[in-house]
Amino acid sequence: MADCLFCKIINGEVPSTKVFENELVYAFRDIEPQAPEHIVIVPKKHIASTNDITAENSGYVAAIFEAAAQIAKQLGIDGDGYRIVNNCGKLGGQTVGHLHFHLMGGRSFGWPAG
Ligand code: AMP
Ligand code: ZN
């Protein structure tokens, strides 16, 4: 998608600090980290939000969670634990219209989420 920030990050048009990449998934450090470790994990295909996950593209979501497990080990936060967040739409707090999951660790998190 020509006008999508995360598509531009995936294709290198916008710089990012990559922490993981495979055929289906790209992951990079959030530019405004909300935790000592804050990684954004995205599908390499443009999917606008959780509303657009279907039987046809849900393999990307499985791949994202596989990547999350691997990244958590890579960062050394798997033992203490971490949080994975998906914001969907206006009330969910989504600001970039390309499906993504926040992987955050290195501190404790409250519940319920704010
Ligand atoms: P959300 O609010 O769930 O849509 O999350 C979007 C996230 O993308 C926010 O946490 C932003 O800090 C992050 N973000 C925005 N622009 C960039 C960028 N150029 N590089 C890395 N992260 C970014
Ligand atoms: Zn996109």
Side-chain angles (χ1 to χ4, degrees):
M1 250 262 264
D3 241 18
C4 170
L5 173 63
F6 288 171
C7 282
K8 287 180 180 163
I9 284 180
I10 292 162
N11 71 26
E13 228 179 293
V14 170
S16 67
T17 306
K18 177 170 86 171
V19 297
F20 178 92
E21 181 175 17
N22 66 18
E23 198 191 328
L24 299 175
V25 172
Y26 190 82
F28 52 97
R29 291 201 172 273
D30 197 291
I31 204 168
E32 249 181 81
Q34 302 300 316
E37 303 287 1
H38 186 168
I39 309 302
V40 180
I41 313 177
V42 305
K44 282 190 172 175
K45 176 189 170 73
H46 182 86
I47 299 168
S49 81
T50 296
N51 285 335
D52 302 288
I53 297 170
T54 63
E56 194 253 331
N57 64 24
S58 61
Y60 284 94
V61 181
I64 283 168
F65 275 79
E66 276 186 46
Q70 203 168 313
I71 294 164
K73 288 185 187 81
Q74 192 178 308
L75 299 176
I77 58 172
D78 53 322
D80 284 342
Y82 48 88
R83 181 158 294 177
I84 294 174
V85 172
N86 168 249
N87 298 324
C88 181
K90 193 173 63 171
L91 291 184
Q94 183 176 7
T95 61
V96 178
H98 180 128
L99 180 68
H100 54 281
F101 292 81
H102 300 259
L103 168 61
M104 293 180 289
R107 67 169 172 90
S108 67
F109 297 91
W111 190 260

PDB file of all heavy atoms in Angstrom, residues 9-47:
ATOM      1  N   ILE A   9       8.111   0.916   5.938  1.00  0.00           N
ATOM      2  CA  ILE A   9       9.153   0.368   6.818  1.00  0.00           C
ATOM      3  C   ILE A   9       9.578  -1.002   6.299  1.00  0.00           C
ATOM      4  O   ILE A   9      10.771  -1.315   6.217  1.00  0.00           O
ATOM      5  CB  ILE A   9       8.660   0.335   8.282  1.00  0.00           C
ATOM      6  CG1 ILE A   9       8.708   1.756   8.868  1.00  0.00           C
ATOM      7  CG2 ILE A   9       9.491  -0.635   9.124  1.00  0.00           C
ATOM      8  CD1 ILE A   9       8.257   1.891  10.300  1.00  0.00           C
ATOM      9  N   ILE A  10       8.589  -1.827   5.918  1.00  0.00           N
ATOM     10  CA  ILE A  10       8.901  -3.180   5.422  1.00  0.00           C
ATOM     11  C   ILE A  10       9.776  -3.100   4.168  1.00  0.00           C
ATOM     12  O   ILE A  10      10.743  -3.859   4.026  1.00  0.00           O
ATOM     13  CB  ILE A  10       7.589  -3.955   5.131  1.00  0.00           C
ATOM     14  CG1 ILE A  10       6.842  -4.242   6.429  1.00  0.00           C
ATOM     15  CG2 ILE A  10       7.870  -5.246   4.360  1.00  0.00           C
ATOM     16  CD1 ILE A  10       5.376  -4.597   6.229  1.00  0.00           C
ATOM     17  N   ASN A  11       9.451  -2.159   3.258  1.00  0.00           N
ATOM     18  CA  ASN A  11      10.241  -2.123   2.007  1.00  0.00           C
ATOM     19  C   ASN A  11      11.487  -1.229   2.098  1.00  0.00           C
ATOM     20  O   ASN A  11      12.193  -1.051   1.101  1.00  0.00           O
ATOM     21  CB  ASN A  11       9.351  -1.760   0.804  1.00  0.00           C
ATOM     22  CG  ASN A  11       8.903  -0.302   0.829  1.00  0.00           C
ATOM     23  OD1 ASN A  11       9.562   0.557   1.412  1.00  0.00           O
ATOM     24  ND2 ASN A  11       7.761  -0.017   0.213  1.00  0.00           N
ATOM     25  N   GLY A  12      11.752  -0.679   3.290  1.00  0.00           N
ATOM     26  CA  GLY A  12      12.994   0.051   3.517  1.00  0.00           C
ATOM     27  C   GLY A  12      12.945   1.528   3.156  1.00  0.00           C
ATOM     28  O   GLY A  12      13.914   2.254   3.346  1.00  0.00           O
ATOM     29  N   GLU A  13      11.786   1.977   2.663  1.00  0.00           N
ATOM     30  CA  GLU A  13      11.619   3.400   2.310  1.00  0.00           C
ATOM     31  C   GLU A  13      11.716   4.284   3.545  1.00  0.00           C
ATOM     32  O   GLU A  13      12.185   5.429   3.477  1.00  0.00           O
ATOM     33  CB  GLU A  13      10.224   3.575   1.692  1.00  0.00           C
ATOM     34  CG  GLU A  13      10.168   4.348   0.410  1.00  0.00           C
ATOM     35  CD  GLU A  13       8.741   4.412  -0.071  1.00  0.00           C
ATOM     36  OE1 GLU A  13       8.179   3.351  -0.436  1.00  0.00           O
ATOM     37  OE2 GLU A  13       8.178   5.514  -0.062  1.00  0.00           O
ATOM     38  N   VAL A  14      11.228   3.783   4.684  1.00  0.00           N
ATOM     39  CA  VAL A  14      11.350   4.473   5.976  1.00  0.00           C
ATOM     40  C   VAL A  14      12.259   3.609   6.849  1.00  0.00           C
ATOM     41  O   VAL A  14      12.049   2.400   6.943  1.00  0.00           O
ATOM     42  CB  VAL A  14       9.960   4.651   6.635  1.00  0.00           C
ATOM     43  CG1 VAL A  14      10.093   5.128   8.079  1.00  0.00           C
ATOM     44  CG2 VAL A  14       9.094   5.615   5.827  1.00  0.00           C
ATOM     45  N   PRO A  15      13.292   4.204   7.455  1.00  0.00           N
ATOM     46  CA  PRO A  15      14.235   3.399   8.243  1.00  0.00           C
ATOM     47  C   PRO A  15      13.623   2.850   9.529  1.00  0.00           C
ATOM     48  O   PRO A  15      12.688   3.447  10.081  1.00  0.00           O
ATOM     49  CB  PRO A  15      15.363   4.392   8.565  1.00  0.00           C
ATOM     50  CG  PRO A  15      14.776   5.742   8.393  1.00  0.00           C
ATOM     51  CD  PRO A  15      13.648   5.631   7.405  1.00  0.00           C
ATOM     52  N   SER A  16      14.131   1.732   9.964  1.00  0.00           N
ATOM     53  CA  SER A  16      13.684   1.147  11.228  1.00  0.00           C
ATOM     54  C   SER A  16      14.826   0.331  11.812  1.00  0.00           C
ATOM     55  O   SER A  16      15.778  -0.016  11.112  1.00  0.00           O
ATOM     56  CB  SER A  16      12.469   0.240  10.989  1.00  0.00           C
ATOM     57  OG  SER A  16      12.844  -0.895  10.225  1.00  0.00           O
ATOM     58  N   THR A  17      14.702   0.028  13.099  1.00  0.00           N
ATOM     59  CA  THR A  17      15.685  -0.844  13.753  1.00  0.00           C
ATOM     60  C   THR A  17      15.088  -2.244  13.798  1.00  0.00           C
ATOM     61  O   THR A  17      14.266  -2.562  14.647  1.00  0.00           O
ATOM     62  CB  THR A  17      16.003  -0.339  15.177  1.00  0.00           C
ATOM     63  OG1 THR A  17      16.410   1.027  15.081  1.00  0.00           O
ATOM     64  CG2 THR A  17      17.114  -1.156  15.805  1.00  0.00           C
ATOM     65  N   LYS A  18      15.529  -3.059  12.845  1.00  0.00           N
ATOM     66  CA  LYS A  18      14.968  -4.406  12.699  1.00  0.00           C
ATOM     67  C   LYS A  18      15.460  -5.324  13.813  1.00  0.00           C
ATOM     68  O   LYS A  18      16.630  -5.322  14.141  1.00  0.00           O
ATOM     69  CB  LYS A  18      15.390  -4.966  11.334  1.00  0.00           C
ATOM     70  CG  LYS A  18      14.934  -6.388  11.082  1.00  0.00           C
ATOM     71  CD  LYS A  18      15.174  -6.793   9.647  1.00  0.00           C
ATOM     72  CE  LYS A  18      16.571  -7.319   9.430  1.00  0.00           C
ATOM     73  NZ  LYS A  18      16.730  -7.913   8.074  1.00  0.00           N
ATOM     74  N   VAL A  19      14.526  -6.116  14.354  1.00  0.00           N
ATOM     75  CA  VAL A  19      14.966  -7.136  15.323  1.00  0.00           C
ATOM     76  C   VAL A  19      14.694  -8.550  14.820  1.00  0.00           C
ATOM     77  O   VAL A  19      15.265  -9.516  15.339  1.00  0.00           O
ATOM     78  CB  VAL A  19      14.315  -6.942  16.723  1.00  0.00           C
ATOM     79  CG1 VAL A  19      14.719  -5.636  17.351  1.00  0.00           C
ATOM     80  CG2 VAL A  19      12.803  -7.049  16.658  1.00  0.00           C
ATOM     81  N   PHE A  20      13.828  -8.673  13.809  1.00  0.00           N
ATOM     82  CA  PHE A  20      13.477 -10.008  13.296  1.00  0.00           C
ATOM     83  C   PHE A  20      12.847  -9.843  11.924  1.00  0.00           C
ATOM     84  O   PHE A  20      12.115  -8.889  11.676  1.00  0.00           O
ATOM     85  CB  PHE A  20      12.472 -10.680  14.240  1.00  0.00           C
ATOM     86  CG  PHE A  20      12.010 -12.041  13.773  1.00  0.00           C
ATOM     87  CD1 PHE A  20      12.665 -13.193  14.179  1.00  0.00           C
ATOM     88  CD2 PHE A  20      10.918 -12.163  12.913  1.00  0.00           C
ATOM     89  CE1 PHE A  20      12.235 -14.438  13.738  1.00  0.00           C
ATOM     90  CE2 PHE A  20      10.491 -13.410  12.475  1.00  0.00           C
ATOM     91  CZ  PHE A  20      11.152 -14.548  12.888  1.00  0.00           C
ATOM     92  N   GLU A  21      13.131 -10.818  11.045  1.00  0.00           N
ATOM     93  CA  GLU A  21      12.468 -10.824   9.733  1.00  0.00           C
ATOM     94  C   GLU A  21      12.450 -12.242   9.200  1.00  0.00           C
ATOM     95  O   GLU A  21      13.418 -12.982   9.338  1.00  0.00           O
ATOM     96  CB  GLU A  21      13.229  -9.924   8.750  1.00  0.00           C
ATOM     97  CG  GLU A  21      12.583  -9.863   7.377  1.00  0.00           C
ATOM     98  CD  GLU A  21      13.255  -8.869   6.434  1.00  0.00           C
ATOM     99  OE1 GLU A  21      14.410  -8.458   6.708  1.00  0.00           O
ATOM    100  OE2 GLU A  21      12.634  -8.527   5.417  1.00  0.00           O
ATOM    101  N   ASN A  22      11.337 -12.644   8.621  1.00  0.00           N
ATOM    102  CA  ASN A  22      11.306 -13.867   7.817  1.00  0.00           C
ATOM    103  C   ASN A  22      10.390 -13.603   6.614  1.00  0.00           C
ATOM    104  O   ASN A  22      10.060 -12.439   6.330  1.00  0.00           O
ATOM    105  CB  ASN A  22      10.902 -15.104   8.647  1.00  0.00           C
ATOM    106  CG  ASN A  22       9.479 -15.060   9.161  1.00  0.00           C
ATOM    107  OD1 ASN A  22       8.651 -14.293   8.670  1.00  0.00           O
ATOM    108  ND2 ASN A  22       9.185 -15.882  10.148  1.00  0.00           N
ATOM    109  N   GLU A  23       9.971 -14.652   5.943  1.00  0.00           N
ATOM    110  CA  GLU A  23       9.200 -14.502   4.695  1.00  0.00           C
ATOM    111  C   GLU A  23       7.875 -13.768   4.914  1.00  0.00           C
ATOM    112  O   GLU A  23       7.406 -13.023   4.045  1.00  0.00           O
ATOM    113  CB  GLU A  23       8.933 -15.904   4.158  1.00  0.00           C
ATOM    114  CG  GLU A  23       8.539 -15.990   2.710  1.00  0.00           C
ATOM    115  CD  GLU A  23       8.034 -17.388   2.372  1.00  0.00           C
ATOM    116  OE1 GLU A  23       8.526 -18.352   2.999  1.00  0.00           O
ATOM    117  OE2 GLU A  23       7.156 -17.483   1.513  1.00  0.00           O
ATOM    118  N   LEU A  24       7.280 -13.941   6.102  1.00  0.00           N
ATOM    119  CA  LEU A  24       5.920 -13.433   6.356  1.00  0.00           C
ATOM    120  C   LEU A  24       5.872 -12.229   7.287  1.00  0.00           C
ATOM    121  O   LEU A  24       4.888 -11.487   7.292  1.00  0.00           O
ATOM    122  CB  LEU A  24       5.059 -14.548   6.971  1.00  0.00           C
ATOM    123  CG  LEU A  24       4.849 -15.807   6.135  1.00  0.00           C
ATOM    124  CD1 LEU A  24       4.085 -16.856   6.925  1.00  0.00           C
ATOM    125  CD2 LEU A  24       4.090 -15.464   4.845  1.00  0.00           C
ATOM    126  N   VAL A  25       6.924 -12.047   8.076  1.00  0.00           N
ATOM    127  CA  VAL A  25       6.857 -11.132   9.223  1.00  0.00           C
ATOM    128  C   VAL A  25       8.058 -10.193   9.255  1.00  0.00           C
ATOM    129  O   VAL A  25       9.178 -10.589   8.907  1.00  0.00           O
ATOM    130  CB  VAL A  25       6.840 -11.971  10.530  1.00  0.00           C
ATOM    131  CG1 VAL A  25       6.975 -11.105  11.754  1.00  0.00           C
ATOM    132  CG2 VAL A  25       5.575 -12.815  10.616  1.00  0.00           C
ATOM    133  N   TYR A  26       7.818  -8.948   9.700  1.00  0.00           N
ATOM    134  CA  TYR A  26       8.902  -7.991   9.952  1.00  0.00           C
ATOM    135  C   TYR A  26       8.679  -7.420  11.354  1.00  0.00           C
ATOM    136  O   TYR A  26       7.532  -7.134  11.733  1.00  0.00           O
ATOM    137  CB  TYR A  26       8.859  -6.877   8.894  1.00  0.00           C
ATOM    138  CG  TYR A  26      10.055  -5.966   8.914  1.00  0.00           C
ATOM    139  CD1 TYR A  26      11.241  -6.327   8.282  1.00  0.00           C
ATOM    140  CD2 TYR A  26      10.007  -4.733   9.564  1.00  0.00           C
ATOM    141  CE1 TYR A  26      12.349  -5.483   8.308  1.00  0.00           C
ATOM    142  CE2 TYR A  26      11.105  -3.888   9.590  1.00  0.00           C
ATOM    143  CZ  TYR A  26      12.277  -4.271   8.960  1.00  0.00           C
ATOM    144  OH  TYR A  26      13.380  -3.445   8.992  1.00  0.00           O
ATOM    145  N   ALA A  27       9.748  -7.254  12.128  1.00  0.00           N
ATOM    146  CA  ALA A  27       9.620  -6.718  13.490  1.00  0.00           C
ATOM    147  C   ALA A  27      10.724  -5.697  13.733  1.00  0.00           C
ATOM    148  O   ALA A  27      11.876  -5.895  13.332  1.00  0.00           O
ATOM    149  CB  ALA A  27       9.714  -7.851  14.508  1.00  0.00           C
ATOM    150  N   PHE A  28      10.339  -4.597  14.391  1.00  0.00           N
ATOM    151  CA  PHE A  28      11.275  -3.480  14.582  1.00  0.00           C
ATOM    152  C   PHE A  28      10.992  -2.787  15.910  1.00  0.00           C
ATOM    153  O   PHE A  28       9.891  -2.930  16.490  1.00  0.00           O
ATOM    154  CB  PHE A  28      11.147  -2.479  13.418  1.00  0.00           C
ATOM    155  CG  PHE A  28       9.737  -2.025  13.152  1.00  0.00           C
ATOM    156  CD1 PHE A  28       9.256  -0.823  13.681  1.00  0.00           C
ATOM    157  CD2 PHE A  28       8.876  -2.795  12.381  1.00  0.00           C
ATOM    158  CE1 PHE A  28       7.954  -0.408  13.441  1.00  0.00           C
ATOM    159  CE2 PHE A  28       7.560  -2.384  12.135  1.00  0.00           C
ATOM    160  CZ  PHE A  28       7.112  -1.194  12.667  1.00  0.00           C
ATOM    161  N   ARG A  29      11.960  -2.001  16.374  1.00  0.00           N
ATOM    162  CA  ARG A  29      11.794  -1.281  17.638  1.00  0.00           C
ATOM    163  C   ARG A  29      10.825  -0.112  17.469  1.00  0.00           C
ATOM    164  O   ARG A  29      10.905   0.631  16.489  1.00  0.00           O
ATOM    165  CB  ARG A  29      13.141  -0.768  18.151  1.00  0.00           C
ATOM    166  CG  ARG A  29      14.034  -1.901  18.601  1.00  0.00           C
ATOM    167  CD  ARG A  29      15.127  -1.474  19.556  1.00  0.00           C
ATOM    168  NE  ARG A  29      15.812  -2.662  20.066  1.00  0.00           N
ATOM    169  CZ  ARG A  29      15.422  -3.360  21.131  1.00  0.00           C
ATOM    170  NH1 ARG A  29      14.374  -2.942  21.842  1.00  0.00           N
ATOM    171  NH2 ARG A  29      16.062  -4.442  21.511  1.00  0.00           N
ATOM    172  N   ASP A  30       9.894   0.017  18.436  1.00  0.00           N
ATOM    173  CA  ASP A  30       8.958   1.143  18.403  1.00  0.00           C
ATOM    174  C   ASP A  30       9.737   2.453  18.614  1.00  0.00           C
ATOM    175  O   ASP A  30      10.645   2.533  19.436  1.00  0.00           O
ATOM    176  CB  ASP A  30       7.899   0.976  19.505  1.00  0.00           C
ATOM    177  CG  ASP A  30       6.690   1.869  19.272  1.00  0.00           C
ATOM    178  OD1 ASP A  30       6.828   3.113  19.399  1.00  0.00           O
ATOM    179  OD2 ASP A  30       5.615   1.340  18.950  1.00  0.00           O
ATOM    180  N   ILE A  31       9.352   3.472  17.857  1.00  0.00           N
ATOM    181  CA  ILE A  31      10.065   4.752  17.903  1.00  0.00           C
ATOM    182  C   ILE A  31       9.779   5.510  19.207  1.00  0.00           C
ATOM    183  O   ILE A  31      10.550   6.388  19.608  1.00  0.00           O
ATOM    184  CB  ILE A  31       9.674   5.601  16.662  1.00  0.00           C
ATOM    185  CG1 ILE A  31      10.729   6.610  16.309  1.00  0.00           C
ATOM    186  CG2 ILE A  31       8.313   6.261  16.837  1.00  0.00           C
ATOM    187  CD1 ILE A  31      10.526   7.250  14.937  1.00  0.00           C
ATOM    188  N   GLU A  32       8.679   5.151  19.878  1.00  0.00           N
ATOM    189  CA  GLU A  32       8.304   5.781  21.153  1.00  0.00           C
ATOM    190  C   GLU A  32       8.053   4.692  22.185  1.00  0.00           C
ATOM    191  O   GLU A  32       6.894   4.433  22.550  1.00  0.00           O
ATOM    192  CB  GLU A  32       7.013   6.595  20.968  1.00  0.00           C
ATOM    193  CG  GLU A  32       7.189   8.075  21.068  1.00  0.00           C
ATOM    194  CD  GLU A  32       5.863   8.804  20.893  1.00  0.00           C
ATOM    195  OE1 GLU A  32       5.095   8.881  21.872  1.00  0.00           O
ATOM    196  OE2 GLU A  32       5.600   9.255  19.764  1.00  0.00           O
ATOM    197  N   PRO A  33       9.121   4.046  22.648  1.00  0.00           N
ATOM    198  CA  PRO A  33       8.945   2.850  23.481  1.00  0.00           C
ATOM    199  C   PRO A  33       8.192   3.124  24.784  1.00  0.00           C
ATOM    200  O   PRO A  33       8.454   4.115  25.461  1.00  0.00           O
ATOM    201  CB  PRO A  33      10.379   2.382  23.742  1.00  0.00           C
ATOM    202  CG  PRO A  33      11.266   3.515  23.380  1.00  0.00           C
ATOM    203  CD  PRO A  33      10.531   4.368  22.406  1.00  0.00           C
ATOM    204  N   GLN A  34       7.272   2.221  25.097  1.00  0.00           N
ATOM    205  CA  GLN A  34       6.475   2.328  26.324  1.00  0.00           C
ATOM    206  C   GLN A  34       6.945   1.330  27.379  1.00  0.00           C
ATOM    207  O   GLN A  34       6.298   1.151  28.414  1.00  0.00           O
ATOM    208  CB  GLN A  34       4.993   2.078  25.996  1.00  0.00           C
ATOM    209  CG  GLN A  34       4.414   3.013  24.956  1.00  0.00           C
ATOM    210  CD  GLN A  34       4.492   4.478  25.385  1.00  0.00           C
ATOM    211  OE1 GLN A  34       4.183   4.803  26.533  1.00  0.00           O
ATOM    212  NE2 GLN A  34       4.918   5.356  24.487  1.00  0.00           N
ATOM    213  N   ALA A  35       8.066   0.685  27.110  1.00  0.00           N
ATOM    214  CA  ALA A  35       8.647  -0.292  28.028  1.00  0.00           C
ATOM    215  C   ALA A  35      10.119  -0.434  27.629  1.00  0.00           C
ATOM    216  O   ALA A  35      10.493  -0.061  26.504  1.00  0.00           O
ATOM    217  CB  ALA A  35       7.917  -1.632  27.894  1.00  0.00           C
ATOM    218  N   PRO A  36      10.964  -0.976  28.518  1.00  0.00           N
ATOM    219  CA  PRO A  36      12.388  -1.135  28.158  1.00  0.00           C
ATOM    220  C   PRO A  36      12.580  -1.892  26.848  1.00  0.00           C
ATOM    221  O   PRO A  36      13.504  -1.600  26.088  1.00  0.00           O
ATOM    222  CB  PRO A  36      12.956  -1.896  29.371  1.00  0.00           C
ATOM    223  CG  PRO A  36      12.094  -1.460  30.518  1.00  0.00           C
ATOM    224  CD  PRO A  36      10.705  -1.319  29.940  1.00  0.00           C
ATOM    225  N   GLU A  37      11.749  -2.883  26.606  1.00  0.00           N
ATOM    226  CA  GLU A  37      11.748  -3.557  25.299  1.00  0.00           C
ATOM    227  C   GLU A  37      10.371  -3.335  24.697  1.00  0.00           C
ATOM    228  O   GLU A  37       9.347  -3.686  25.313  1.00  0.00           O
ATOM    229  CB  GLU A  37      12.004  -5.067  25.439  1.00  0.00           C
ATOM    230  CG  GLU A  37      13.292  -5.430  26.144  1.00  0.00           C
ATOM    231  CD  GLU A  37      14.539  -5.185  25.296  1.00  0.00           C
ATOM    232  OE1 GLU A  37      14.427  -4.704  24.147  1.00  0.00           O
ATOM    233  OE2 GLU A  37      15.642  -5.499  25.800  1.00  0.00           O
ATOM    234  N   HIS A  38      10.301  -2.726  23.504  1.00  0.00           N
ATOM    235  CA  HIS A  38       9.009  -2.469  22.846  1.00  0.00           C
ATOM    236  C   HIS A  38       9.203  -2.682  21.344  1.00  0.00           C
ATOM    237  O   HIS A  38       9.829  -1.866  20.669  1.00  0.00           O
ATOM    238  CB  HIS A  38       8.530  -1.049  23.149  1.00  0.00           C
ATOM    239  CG  HIS A  38       7.155  -0.754  22.621  1.00  0.00           C
ATOM    240  ND1 HIS A  38       6.438   0.365  22.987  1.00  0.00           N
ATOM    241  CD2 HIS A  38       6.345  -1.428  21.748  1.00  0.00           C
ATOM    242  CE1 HIS A  38       5.263   0.364  22.369  1.00  0.00           C
ATOM    243  NE2 HIS A  38       5.198  -0.715  21.597  1.00  0.00           N
ATOM    244  N   ILE A  39       8.665  -3.796  20.879  1.00  0.00           N
ATOM    245  CA  ILE A  39       8.856  -4.216  19.499  1.00  0.00           C
ATOM    246  C   ILE A  39       7.496  -4.202  18.795  1.00  0.00           C
ATOM    247  O   ILE A  39       6.488  -4.613  19.381  1.00  0.00           O
ATOM    248  CB  ILE A  39       9.430  -5.664  19.445  1.00  0.00           C
ATOM    249  CG1 ILE A  39      10.667  -5.805  20.358  1.00  0.00           C
ATOM    250  CG2 ILE A  39       9.728  -6.083  18.011  1.00  0.00           C
ATOM    251  CD1 ILE A  39      11.811  -4.876  20.050  1.00  0.00           C
ATOM    252  N   VAL A  40       7.476  -3.733  17.554  1.00  0.00           N
ATOM    253  CA  VAL A  40       6.267  -3.766  16.725  1.00  0.00           C
ATOM    254  C   VAL A  40       6.446  -4.915  15.720  1.00  0.00           C
ATOM    255  O   VAL A  40       7.464  -4.975  15.023  1.00  0.00           O
ATOM    256  CB  VAL A  40       6.069  -2.431  15.976  1.00  0.00           C
ATOM    257  CG1 VAL A  40       4.806  -2.480  15.124  1.00  0.00           C
ATOM    258  CG2 VAL A  40       6.018  -1.264  16.960  1.00  0.00           C
ATOM    259  N   ILE A  41       5.463  -5.814  15.676  1.00  0.00           N
ATOM    260  CA  ILE A  41       5.551  -6.978  14.779  1.00  0.00           C
ATOM    261  C   ILE A  41       4.428  -6.858  13.751  1.00  0.00           C
ATOM    262  O   ILE A  41       3.252  -6.711  14.119  1.00  0.00           O
ATOM    263  CB  ILE A  41       5.418  -8.309  15.546  1.00  0.00           C
ATOM    264  CG1 ILE A  41       6.313  -8.308  16.790  1.00  0.00           C
ATOM    265  CG2 ILE A  41       5.759  -9.478  14.639  1.00  0.00           C
ATOM    266  CD1 ILE A  41       6.178  -9.572  17.652  1.00  0.00           C
ATOM    267  N   VAL A  42       4.782  -6.913  12.466  1.00  0.00           N
ATOM    268  CA  VAL A  42       3.795  -6.682  11.400  1.00  0.00           C
ATOM    269  C   VAL A  42       3.860  -7.792  10.346  1.00  0.00           C
ATOM    270  O   VAL A  42       4.927  -8.366  10.101  1.00  0.00           O
ATOM    271  CB  VAL A  42       4.023  -5.313  10.704  1.00  0.00           C
ATOM    272  CG1 VAL A  42       4.023  -4.179  11.725  1.00  0.00           C
ATOM    273  CG2 VAL A  42       5.313  -5.284   9.907  1.00  0.00           C
ATOM    274  N   PRO A  43       2.712  -8.064   9.715  1.00  0.00           N
ATOM    275  CA  PRO A  43       2.732  -8.958   8.555  1.00  0.00           C
ATOM    276  C   PRO A  43       3.321  -8.228   7.355  1.00  0.00           C
ATOM    277  O   PRO A  43       3.118  -7.013   7.202  1.00  0.00           O
ATOM    278  CB  PRO A  43       1.248  -9.269   8.319  1.00  0.00           C
ATOM    279  CG  PRO A  43       0.526  -8.066   8.860  1.00  0.00           C
ATOM    280  CD  PRO A  43       1.358  -7.549   9.998  1.00  0.00           C
ATOM    281  N   LYS A  44       4.049  -8.949   6.483  1.00  0.00           N
ATOM    282  CA  LYS A  44       4.618  -8.302   5.300  1.00  0.00           C
ATOM    283  C   LYS A  44       3.558  -7.994   4.256  1.00  0.00           C
ATOM    284  O   LYS A  44       3.832  -7.287   3.288  1.00  0.00           O
ATOM    285  CB  LYS A  44       5.722  -9.183   4.705  1.00  0.00           C
ATOM    286  CG  LYS A  44       7.032  -9.080   5.472  1.00  0.00           C
ATOM    287  CD  LYS A  44       8.155  -9.754   4.729  1.00  0.00           C
ATOM    288  CE  LYS A  44       9.491  -9.488   5.377  1.00  0.00           C
ATOM    289  NZ  LYS A  44      10.567 -10.249   4.698  1.00  0.00           N
ATOM    290  N   LYS A  45       2.363  -8.520   4.442  1.00  0.00           N
ATOM    291  CA  LYS A  45       1.239  -8.180   3.556  1.00  0.00           C
ATOM    292  C   LYS A  45       0.423  -7.079   4.239  1.00  0.00           C
ATOM    293  O   LYS A  45       0.241  -7.107   5.468  1.00  0.00           O
ATOM    294  CB  LYS A  45       0.372  -9.428   3.374  1.00  0.00           C
ATOM    295  CG  LYS A  45      -0.888  -9.255   2.559  1.00  0.00           C
ATOM    296  CD  LYS A  45      -1.721 -10.546   2.683  1.00  0.00           C
ATOM    297  CE  LYS A  45      -3.097 -10.398   2.101  1.00  0.00           C
ATOM    298  NZ  LYS A  45      -3.104 -10.363   0.649  1.00  0.00           N
ATOM    299  N   HIS A  46      -0.080  -6.121   3.465  1.00  0.00           N
ATOM    300  CA  HIS A  46      -0.894  -5.062   4.059  1.00  0.00           C
ATOM    301  C   HIS A  46      -2.267  -5.606   4.454  1.00  0.00           C
ATOM    302  O   HIS A  46      -3.082  -5.941   3.601  1.00  0.00           O
ATOM    303  CB  HIS A  46      -1.064  -3.878   3.103  1.00  0.00           C
ATOM    304  CG  HIS A  46      -1.854  -2.763   3.742  1.00  0.00           C
ATOM    305  ND1 HIS A  46      -1.269  -1.789   4.529  1.00  0.00           N
ATOM    306  CD2 HIS A  46      -3.188  -2.509   3.754  1.00  0.00           C
ATOM    307  CE1 HIS A  46      -2.208  -0.974   4.985  1.00  0.00           C
ATOM    308  NE2 HIS A  46      -3.380  -1.391   4.526  1.00  0.00           N
ATOM    309  N   ILE A  47      -2.481  -5.694   5.755  1.00  0.00           N
ATOM    310  CA  ILE A  47      -3.789  -6.042   6.330  1.00  0.00           C
ATOM    311  C   ILE A  47      -4.100  -4.859   7.238  1.00  0.00           C
ATOM    312  O   ILE A  47      -3.266  -4.482   8.071  1.00  0.00           O
ATOM    313  CB  ILE A  47      -3.707  -7.352   7.147  1.00  0.00           C
ATOM    314  CG1 ILE A  47      -3.267  -8.530   6.251  1.00  0.00           C
ATOM    315  CG2 ILE A  47      -5.042  -7.651   7.838  1.00  0.00           C
ATOM    316  CD1 ILE A  47      -2.872  -9.790   7.029  1.00  0.00           C
TER     317      ILE A  47
END
